Amino acid sequence: SMGHKTVALMVILGKEGYMRPMEMVNLKCEDLRAPVGGAQVALQLYTVTVALEDRCERSKTGISDDTIVLDRPDWLGPALMELKRGRTKLSPLFNLDLASGFKLWDIACHK
């Protein structure tokens, strides 16, 4: 189901980006950015920005605009872009609250 796919992507992003669960739940579609075409190699990667200063957000450590490069696995950025297709920039990237995410993860682990 789409919920299970969403949870799987959350878990992989959390592991690869060293992100806290609430950081992932709070991500908006605008926080995921595609590579910049024609740019230097370092800018040809997908990124996620945590705790946007423009939205007056702070991470647990008090930092804003913490950018995480999604360099592995190579399919993660495109899969996350698929999640946000057709949604507004302020829509949640993961359309799940923390409790629902944990419930779906539990169900998936016991199948």
Side-chain angles (χ1 to χ4, degrees), residues 41-106:
V41 174
L43 297 177
Q44 293 179 5
L45 297 167
Y46 290 87
T47 60
V48 171
T49 304
V50 178
L52 255 64
E53 178 76 36
D54 290 350
R55 294 194 306 255
C56 300
E57 296 174 350
R58 298 269 183 267
S59 71
K60 183 178 178 180
T61 58
I63 297 171
S64 290
D65 294 336
D66 189 14
T67 299
I68 298 167
V69 176
L70 306 178
D71 57 352
R72 66 178 196 272
D74 59 358
W75 52 263
L76 181 58
L80 291 169
M81 291 299 284
E82 185 66 27
L83 274 183
K84 80 176 209 174
R85 189 170 43 165
R87 297 185 15 221
T88 67
K89 68 179 189 170
L90 292 178
S91 295
L93 179 60
F94 298 107
N95 210 11
L96 291 171
D97 59 37
L98 198 54
S100 299
F102 282 137
K103 182 177 180 180
L104 284 168
W105 177 252
D106 187 55

Side-chain angles (χ1 to χ4, degrees), residues 4 7 103-111:
H4 289 106
V7 169
K103 182 177 180 180
L104 284 168
W105 177 252
D106 187 55
I107 291 168
C109 287
H110 290 97
K111 282 194 170 194

